[in-house]
Amino acid sequence: MTLRITQVDAFTNKPFAGNPAAVCMLPKPAEPAWMLNVAREMNLAETAFLVKQRDGYDLRWFTPAVEVDLCGHATLASAHVLWEDGHLKPDAQARFHTKSGLLTADRRDGLIELDFPATPAKPIPAPAGLVEALGAKPMFVGRSPFDVFVEVENESTVRTLAPNLSAIAEIQARGVIVTSRGDGKSKYDFVSRFFAPQSGVPEDPVTGSAHCALAPYWSAKLGKRELIAYQASPRGGELRLRLVGDRVKIGGQAVTVLRGELAAGNMAS
């Protein structure tokens, strides 16, 4: 039996931008070691694996190095594939059972909108080596359930940051979020970048799950419940955010760029 893999660029409306993710539909659950091997073969920030259930889909995410507990762009890519390939009716909600609980996706105003848990960052002392690794002075350092969270002075600092990734990899977290208020020259309320060499992703192009911490932080600072964000990686990506209670609605677009089949080693057990 052949297994189909679809590569999708998420949080963008054009190919070769945003964050690429692979999406693999499975007929039954697979061994984690096999899924990790497939993710290594795809060599993207995330590969998503879906198994149909009575009420939605089981969804798991793997980087080339580890399984992760929450991933935004590969969830958006998965919902895109379910609608585009006819697994779901155009007006149906995509429902995903994950290690972070039930996550949903809906089509809204021309976007795919994810419903994710807010993961606010709490203030902490800067971890040893963080400031030196970033090469920038933090205005705030916090910790979300997954990541170290750093606000720096301005958008230019975020965009020109060239951190020591080997030193970043020594920080005990999934990754490091770096962010600032937008400079007022564009529509973006804030910008960010995300570095996760300790998870096998030196710099993630667009990180939906990081915005579960970014949205409540900037909502409080700016006094806005709806925000427009830009992740200023070399590929770049735009996110529309709504804070609703303890949930973050993350909106974005997606483009299919590649479809293929596993020709070898495709016997998921």
Side-chain angles (χ1 to χ4, degrees), residues 225-253:
R225 307 293 286 183
E226 298 191 9
L227 301 153
I228 304 176
Y230 185 74
Q231 191 154 330
S233 68
R235 288 175 66 103
E238 180 177 305
L239 307 93
R240 303 276 177 148
L241 306 166
R242 296 190 298 130
L243 195 63
V244 182
D246 63 353
R247 308 292 293 182
V248 178
K249 307 282 190 173
I250 306 170
Q253 295 175 287

Side-chain angles (χ1 to χ4, degrees), residues 5 16-17 28 32 84 111 130 151 153 156 166-167 175 190 200 246:
I5 291 186
F16 316 123
K28 59 182 179 180
E84 186 174 70
L111 302 176
L130 175 67
E151 182 190 355
E153 183 178 6
S156 175
S166 295
F190 67 89
D246 63 353

